[in-house]
Amino acid sequence: MAYEQYPVAVRSFSSEYGPPYSSNQVLRNVCGQKSDASHYGDNQYAAAFRRYGDFHLHRPSYIAFPCLLSPKWFPYTDFMECSFSQPVLAVSVQISENFFPGSVRRILAARHGCIEDKGVAKHWQVLWQYNESAENSKCCSFAYHFHVITFPKTLIPVDTIRIEFDFTESIYYYQLEAVKLIGEKYIERLDCDPMEHNSDGFGNRFEQYKISNEITSKNLMKHTRDDIIDIDYSSPIVSVSSDESQGIDSLPSEILIKILGFLDIDDLSRATRINKLFYNLSKDPGLYTCINLRPFYRFLVDESIIHISKKCAALQKLDLSWLGSNNQISTPALCTFLRNVPNITELRVSSCQMLASSVLETLAIYCSNLKLLDISYCSNGLHLCVSWLTNLKRLKYLDMAHTLITTSELLCLLDKMKNLEWLLLGSPSLIADQDAVISSITDNSCGPLKGIELWYWDKISFSFISQFLYCHGRTLVQLDLGWCLNIGVNDILPNVASACPNLVVLLLTAHHETTDAGLVDLSKGCLLLEQLDLLGSRNITLSFLQTLIMACENLSFLDVSYCAKLSIEDVANLQTLSSNISIKHVQTYLHESNFFRDSDDRSFVGF
């Protein structure tokens, strides 16, 4: 008999639209029993992610410090992990997507609450993967989609699923309202071996799964762990003699190393098994200067990352984001890795469950050359003592969005950071005195700031932001004040226009009091604007937006969704001014997709 259940918790995720202390569009909104009547459209009680499309890839902060590229087989940009109270032999997952659906690309499952010595696998197994040619995986409506994903029954009980998304082609913020896991209820007997639970042969099937999973894991780990089990080249090797060699192995070693330099770590690990020559060449430290381990989070464990680190004496850029899921990597192992890479300059550990204050202490002691550090969305409930980072004197880029840091520790850190250029502090949770932080940045001159993100800093006073802009506005090229509601009671545009002549990106999401007069000031003072978010502005009108578009010739992104005085026809007129501008207007999308249906009595929850 099928057993249906909703999530009881969201264990980990890559990004989140709302702040952690709120119920507004946070991922934990998928938890708990849902009603049968779903809301079409933008719903503040649904789950939403922080970004969509590829607009953030064109922002100055990303251009200055671009992420390491992922292989084509790993197109996923975001994820969320949902835990359930009852382990089941899963057969399907139902996802209610209420706003701009169609970005789900893969579903995985694992047993989080298992007893490891009983042999229950904790590694992720893929249940379903997006097939572009399958009609049932496509969604044509922007409004609502009830996505039912079926797959063969899992051979082991699972209580955690991981949903992975690709938002690069999404045209607006994606939302999902509910997730339901369906399967056969599994009751664990404590007085017997887990392989003996069922009389229908489940024990045999479980044993077969273990053997199959071990073989698969070993093959994959050879790729991702970079040959942890060293190849024995003492035995005879079949190879072409030097006088007959006319292939690639006849080239000088310098040329071969240059060629190998175009491979990622997965392909490099495969190259070690070609022959003895490639095995030796693949040990060259110069091949391991930039490593992206994010795509291999499923297979990496303590032993593998420690082994990889031994080849990384020359490592400069490292991406460990998403690692540590399901407790596969421990905090001590991460610390050991960092001790072996003293020359690293860029480190991304976003959404890493094993990140703790001891990791930051290790960074401060062994990785003093860091210029970039991304510890965003490490929301594992652990308070991070960021005061350790004061030793990183060369830091230029710091992303601490959605992490648990206190006001006093942040003030201590900012007082020592004299070279910061990019500071991302979105969605704070423990920062009570936000004005004190802004005042510290203003007074202590923590660096020649080029960009700052204050997403959801809803307690900042208008006067403190104005003073900050007066001191740092000349160097600013990127400014995010989205959902700073305490500022939004005033029109900040005149201050921005007079203080920030070099601004390229300006995000003023939910600033209700933005006026036409402010747009006039902006069109005179910020002629370099490329991206502008005015979502929710109640007072701006068509004619002044036309003036702005004509003045800012580089403008390529404009969000005017939920602007009360702009109609669908007005947005169409704006679009005719330039074909290079992507204008975001939710009402236009919903109108084009026949969002409102006469026979539908479900409500639309707008801005």
Side-chain angles (χ1 to χ4, degrees), residues 223-249:
H223 299 164
T224 58
R225 297 191 305 180
D226 211 15
D227 292 322
I228 293 173
I229 304 175
D230 290 334
I231 300 174
D232 182 11
Y233 280 113
S234 60
S235 58
I237 300 174
V238 178
S239 61
V240 180
S241 60
S242 58
D243 57 337
E244 296 176 353
S245 177
Q246 299 295 329
I248 191 172
D249 54 353

Side-chain angles (χ1 to χ4, degrees), residues 503-516:
L503 209 58
V504 174
V505 175
L506 176 60
L507 308 180
L508 298 177
T509 311
H511 283 238
H512 302 315
E513 303 306 319
T514 301
T515 64
D516 284 340

Side-chain angles (χ1 to χ4, degrees), residues 71 73-74 220-221 223-224 264-267 292-301 323 328:
W73 55 264
F74 191 84
L220 291 169
M221 294 299 286
H223 299 164
T224 58
D264 60 24
I265 190 169
D266 185 31
D267 293 329
N292 181 11
L293 294 179
R294 181 193 306 218
F296 312 106
Y297 73 89
R298 290 176 55 203
F299 318 110
L300 292 172
V301 294
L323 267 66
Q328 291 177 207

Side-chain angles (χ1 to χ4, degrees), residues 563-580:
C563 292
K565 294 186 178 182
L566 289 180
S567 65
I568 295 176
E569 291 75 15
D570 291 338
V571 174
N573 290 332
L574 289 176
Q575 192 65 73
T576 61
L577 297 178
S578 174
S579 59
N580 297 324

Side-chain angles (χ1 to χ4, degrees), residues 172-188:
Y172 209 65
Y173 291 107
Y174 169 90
Q175 291 183 16
L176 70 160
E177 188 181 54
V179 176
K180 183 189 293 185
L181 177 63
I182 302 174
E184 295 182 8
K185 199 168 184 179
Y186 176 82
I187 301 176
E188 187 170 9

Side-chain angles (χ1 to χ4, degrees), residues 294-318:
R294 181 193 306 218
F296 312 106
Y297 73 89
R298 290 176 55 203
F299 318 110
L300 292 172
V301 294
D302 287 356
E303 182 187 12
S304 57
I305 66 168
I306 292 175
H307 182 84
I308 291 173
S309 69
K310 294 177 181 178
K311 301 184 178 183
C312 298
L315 184 64
Q316 296 178 6
K317 300 180 181 180
L318 175 64

Side-chain angles (χ1 to χ4, degrees), residues 74 105 129 220 250 254 259 294 321 326 334 370 434 448 466 554 596:
F74 191 84
R105 290 296 178 267
Q129 197 159 347
L220 291 169
S250 64
E254 293 79 4
I259 295 173
R294 181 193 306 218
S321 300
N326 218 19
L334 178 58
L370 271 182
Q434 298 178 0
S466 298
N554 298 326
F596 296 104

